[in-house]
Amino acid sequence: MENRYVKYFVCLLFCFFVSPLITKATCDYQRMAELSKIASNVQFSYTYKVENNMPIFYLSVSNITSDIYVTDNYGNIYRQNINDIQIFLGSNMTFNIYSHDYNCQGDKLLTKYLNLPFYNKYSSYPECANYRNYSACQMWTNDAPVTDGEFYEKINSYKKTNSDKIIDNNDDTGFIQKYSIFIITGVICVIGISIMILVWRKRK
C-alpha cells in the first residue's frame, strides 16, 4: 500500500517538473514569428517645445500590446502605450522589445533606436543673429562648439571670411539691390508714359 503512494508521489513530482518544459515547448517558431511581427509594429516618436531658448523633448510609444513589453537603455519598462513623456535632452535611446507571452516569457524579439537631434545652445547667442546659416549657429547641429572659447574662435573666424553673407532681417539694402532693375524699369516706364500723355494733350 505504501509503495503505491510512493509511486503516486513520484509520478506527481515527475509531472510537476516536466509540465513547464512541455508548456515551454509550445513557444514554437510560428508563435515567435507572430510576436516578432507585433514587435515590429511598435512605433517610437518624439515632439519638442522650446522654453527659454531650450527645447524640451517628449517621447511617445504606440502599438504596445499585452503580448509584449519594452525596455529602454535608462532602465524604464513600458507595458502600455505612452504619450508625451519627458525624456533626456539629446539622448540616443535604445529600445528592446520582449515577449510577454506566457510560453515565451522574456524572449527578446527586436531592438529599435530613436536618435534625438543635438541642440546647440550657441544658436541663441546674439553673435549668431546674422549668421543663421553657419553650422555653429544652427539650432540642430552635430558640429556645435564644445566650449565658449571654441565658439567665439569659430564665429570670429567665420565673420572675417564671410562678412558678405550676413543675414540682417532689418536691412532693406538687400531688397533694393535685388529689385533695383525692376524699380528703375518701372520709373522709366512711368516717365515715358507721362511724356506721351503730355505730348498727346498738346497736339490735341
Side-chain angles (χ1 to χ4, degrees), residues 108-128:
K108 186 176 178 179
L109 303 170
L110 191 64
T111 299
K112 288 192 173 185
Y113 303 93
L114 182 66
N115 297 325
L116 303 184
F118 183 85
Y119 174 71
N120 176 22
K121 69 176 183 178
Y122 297 105
S123 63
S124 62
Y125 277 35
E127 289 80 4
C128 282

Side-chain angles (χ1 to χ4, degrees), residues 27 40 78 81 103 109 116 128 143 168 171 188 199:
C27 182
S40 67
Y78 311 96
N81 296 338
N103 297 322
L109 303 170
L116 303 184
C128 282
D143 190 32
D168 189 350
D171 188 0
I188 293 174
V199 172

Side-chain angles (χ1 to χ4, degrees), residues 114-182:
L114 182 66
N115 297 325
L116 303 184
F118 183 85
Y119 174 71
N120 176 22
K121 69 176 183 178
Y122 297 105
S123 63
S124 62
Y125 277 35
E127 289 80 4
C128 282
N130 297 325
Y131 299 94
R132 297 300 180 190
N133 293 330
Y134 181 39
S135 61
C137 288
Q138 293 175 357
M139 179 179 288
W140 311 113
T141 179
N142 292 323
D143 190 32
V146 178
T147 64
D148 286 356
E150 183 182 347
F151 167 72
Y152 287 112
E153 181 180 350
K154 282 189 172 185
I155 193 67
N156 290 331
S157 176
Y158 186 80
K159 285 180 180 180
K160 290 179 181 178
T161 57
N162 297 272
S163 58
D164 59 329
K165 296 181 181 180
I166 294 178
I167 301 174
D168 189 350
N169 295 328
N170 297 319
D171 188 0
D172 294 330
T173 304
F175 176 84
I176 295 174
Q177 291 178 346
K178 184 176 181 180
Y179 296 100
S180 59
I181 186 170
F182 298 104

